[in-house]
Amino acid sequence: MGETETYAITGPDGDEESFELPAGLVDVLSQQGEKPTRVVSDVVVQAMAQQAHVIAHHSEGEVPDDIEEINDTAAELFEERFGQSLEDALGHSH
């Protein structure tokens, strides 16, 4: 196995989870001068918003109201962070 870099996420209740990424991967994904932690957190926000979208719009059956609200909030946070709507980023809307 190649070299790795360790990152950590801390939850609202103080629990922390560390994880390894291949060394250099974050650099490949970053723009010049961008901090590595910003790159990793951008990917987390993007992935979580996409997962909320999938659960709310691509699941079979009726989606509970709380899931709709979570999805809406995730989409709003995505747009605040990246300056474009999640629908535009995904290339489709519902």
Side-chain angles (χ1 to χ4, degrees):
M1 180 165 46
E3 289 185 45
T4 62
E5 299 172 331
T6 303
Y7 289 87
I9 295 176
T10 304
D13 59 359
D15 64 321
E16 186 173 293
E17 179 75 26
S18 296
F19 56 95
E20 300 289 320
L21 295 173
L25 176 60
V26 174
D27 292 336
V28 170
L29 298 173
S30 68
Q31 297 178 14
Q32 187 173 5
E34 195 172 20
K35 294 192 177 288
T37 52
R38 178 63 184 213
V39 174
V40 173
S41 62
D42 280 351
V43 171
V44 169
V45 171
Q46 178 183 7
M48 296 299 279
Q50 287 175 326
Q51 290 301 310
H53 172 87
V54 168
I55 293 166
H57 296 291
H58 299 279
S59 296
E60 292 189 28
E62 193 69 28
V63 176
D65 290 340
D66 63 331
I67 298 297
E68 284 290 340
E69 182 178 352
I70 289 168
N71 177 61
D72 291 345
T73 301
E76 290 171 15
L77 292 170
F78 181 93
E79 188 166 352
E80 286 176 14
R81 187 168 187 118
F82 298 107
Q84 69 173 341
S85 71
L86 181 61
E87 291 176 343
D88 287 346
L90 294 175
H92 75 275
S93 62
H94 296 274

